[in-house]
Amino acid sequence: MRGFLASSIGVTCAAALALPLTLPAAAAPTRAPASAAQPTSGARSAPTAAEPDLPGSTQSLPLAPATRDRTLGAAPEQGLTRDDVHRFSLVGITWTDPDTELRGRVQVRTRATGTGEWSDWQDVDTHNEDHGADPGTAERDSGHVHGSTAPLWVGDSDAVDVRVRADPGTARAVGDRASALPVGLHLELVDPGAEPPAPAAGARPTARRAAVPLAATELPALSRAATEREAVTMYGRSQPYIGPRPRIITRRGWGADEKLREKGYVYTKKVKAVFVHHTASGNNYSCSQASSVIRGIYRYHVKSSGWRDIGYNFLVDKCGNIYEGRAGGVAKPVLGAHTLGFNTNSMGIAVLGTFGTAKPSSAAVTAIARLAAWKLGLYGVNPRGKTYLKSGGGNLYRKGKNVRLNAISGHRDGFATECPGRQLYGKLGSARSTSARFQGR
């Protein structure tokens, strides 16, 4: 029975299968033993072929001044054009100091592999500093973290043109000179690697440990009765309101390379709130490409931004598929890096896409509601209710302030940001009501 439950709660590797089913008792974030291997995003190098041991690759290319003032850092515009790079599908810009904001505009255009056609110029969302680990945490203070834009999915490409322009009048002190842009700007080109092998034809997902390959790629949906029985076994008590567990594609299912992230897991005490995000990576992907998009974001978060793992606890695509995010067990209170200042006792759900003007699909909104009904239900939280979280510090609330929030909140409720976009944020009221109904309230 214990083996059955261990595989059914979303553990996707041998080390995680051995995790205890009970939740950590400590209220403060706790860290399981970590390996000596750390993210290597601090290294800056010329473009290279894919690493031989890892699927996919990251190319980190320094930008150069694009104006007559050739003093690196002082120029109000920097850029790069390259047609000799390894193929890639996702792009972003990073810089040295994670506490420095890029005040300006970032645009890229790319050449499609195969057709040789160049895309139009596309804007890259520069406001990504509102994601990430909380100030003062081990992940934030690791020495590996960089400032970064949001990643942009561009599809299979083999050449790139990028320009970064500072807002007029922008200047910041850097030593004895003024800099219009952050120091250390690099273009990150991410190849997410190949898709993981598909399950054998005709095979059916199962939660039984005897079928580990299938159990590790997809956790099937459970009925409400089965979900309640699982909760009793996990916690030794019944939960009066809990939504049925939805189908979840695990890390193995979307092809996570577990050698990229730090080993060990970091937990908080419980999950009191859900923060909804958009990835700001664009809407030009198909649902069959969603796993590739997630692998690209994962690699960008770890190798380029310097985080210990992908920042979000879960991701949702436009077809309503739910994906396991940060490692540690889908039913557990895994500490994420999604809402700067409010990662403790919360979880982050990111919808793949950009929703400032584009509307999210109804399937994606329903998936948010289903996932929240199950995960909040495990911790006795009403999705239509309110909760209190203590701020870890940010641009809306000082560190240590107890903040009253909706149990299902948007990223912008905890940090001054556009995320999750006006259109998705407007759907959260509906998601709360639907989620409560899934809980039987």
Side-chain angles (χ1 to χ4, degrees):
M1 183 66 178
R2 187 176 179 87
F4 165 80
L5 286 165
S7 68
S8 71
I9 63 172
V11 181
T12 61
C13 63
L17 280 168
L19 288 172
L21 294 177
T22 55
L23 294 175
T30 57
R31 182 183 293 270
S35 79
Q38 298 291 327
T40 57
S41 62
R44 304 295 190 176
S45 60
T48 60
E51 293 138 312
D53 297 338
L54 304 176
S57 66
T58 300
Q59 301 164 88
S60 186
L61 310 174
L63 301 191
T67 63
R68 291 182 179 179
D69 183 350
R70 306 299 294 178
T71 305
L72 187 61
E77 181 176 346
Q78 295 185 34
L80 180 72
T81 301
R82 292 290 292 267
D83 61 1
D84 59 346
V85 294
H86 179 73
R87 61 195 300 173
F88 61 94
S89 298
L90 182 140
V91 303
I93 299 292
T94 64
W95 54 94
T96 304
D97 185 357
D99 296 319
T100 297
E101 180 182 356
L102 196 166
R103 301 170 191 161
R105 188 178 189 185
V106 177
Q107 292 181 299
V108 300
R109 64 189 188 111
T110 54
R111 186 178 68 191
T113 302
T115 67
E117 295 182 359
W118 283 86
S119 70
D120 295 331
W121 287 99
Q122 301 182 75
D123 286 304
V124 179
D125 190 339
T126 62
H127 301 290
N128 198 44
E129 73 282 351
D130 45 355
H131 298 77
D134 289 349
T137 60
E139 182 172 3
R140 183 74 175 188
D141 297 339
S142 66
H144 300 284
V145 178
H146 291 111
S148 60
T149 67
L152 179 68
W153 178 258
V154 295
D156 196 9
S157 305
D158 59 12
V160 64
D161 196 0
V162 60
R163 58 194 184 196
V164 181
R165 294 172 176 168
D167 287 337
T170 298
R172 51 174 63 85
V174 180
D176 58 356
R177 57 184 172 81
S179 174
L181 291 170
V183 172
L185 289 174
H186 279 70
L187 171 65
E188 306 289 309
L189 303 178
V190 179
D191 170 14
E195 288 293 316
R204 293 181 177 275
T206 175
R208 294 190 178 278
R209 192 169 183 177
V212 169
L214 290 177
T217 57
E218 177 182 315
L219 301 180
L222 295 180
S223 68
R224 185 166 180 179
T227 303
E228 290 172 350
R229 288 194 298 270
E230 183 179 77
V232 169
T233 304
M234 288 173 62
Y235 302 108
R237 65 181 186 278
S238 62
Q239 297 290 92
Y241 298 102
I242 182 171
R245 190 186 73 189
R247 171 180 172 266
I248 300 172
I249 298 168
T250 66
R251 290 172 65 91
R252 178 178 284 189
W254 55 260
D257 180 354
E258 301 297 353
K259 294 189 292 293
L260 286 181
R261 65 173 177 84
E262 284 188 30
K263 292 183 179 178
Y265 311 99
V266 184
Y267 299 101
T268 57
K269 185 177 180 180
K270 60 180 67 174
V271 176
K272 298 170 63 177
V274 168
F275 284 100
V276 176
H277 305 257
H278 67 175
T279 58
S281 51
N283 303 314
N284 296 323
Y285 73 94
S286 64
C287 291
S288 63
Q289 294 175 311
S291 290
S292 292
V293 177
I294 295 170
R295 289 197 307 279
I297 293 172
Y298 171 44
R299 178 173 276 274
Y300 183 73
H301 281 180
V302 176
K303 300 288 282 186
S304 300
S305 300
W307 302 354
R308 73 185 315 271
D309 194 352
I310 192 170
Y312 309 113
N313 298 105
F314 295 92
L315 301 100
V316 172
D317 68 23
K318 64 179 69 175
C319 292
N321 297 305
I322 299 170
Y323 302 82
E324 178 186 12
R326 182 163 286 207
V330 294
K332 295 181 179 294
V334 178
L335 179 67
H338 49 82
T339 306
L340 194 148
F342 290 98
N343 290 303
T344 297
N345 292 336
S346 71
M347 78 171 188
I349 303 174
V351 181
L352 298 179
T354 305
F355 302 106
T357 57
K359 294 181 179 180
S361 68
S362 58
V365 177
T366 300
I368 292 170
R370 288 186 183 277
L371 180 56
W374 170 67
K375 191 64 178 277
L376 291 177
L378 289 175
Y379 297 87
V381 178
N382 182 346
R384 274 195 304 226
K386 303 281 187 177
T387 190
Y388 281 90
L389 293 177
K390 182 177 290 187
S391 172
N395 63 2
L396 275 182
Y397 302 104
R398 60 174 173 78
K399 184 175 182 178
K401 181 177 177 59
N402 281 318
V403 182
R404 191 168 185 256
L405 296 161
N406 288 308
I408 298 179
S409 288
H411 187 178
R412 63 176 64 182
D413 295 321
F415 197 98
T417 176
E418 292 297 313
C419 184
R422 179 173 58 86
Q423 294 290 347
L424 179 53
Y425 188 78
K427 297 293 185 181
L428 296 189
S430 173
R432 294 182 194 108
S433 298
T434 303
S435 187
R437 287 198 299 271
F438 283 133
Q439 285 190 347
R441 296 182 186 270

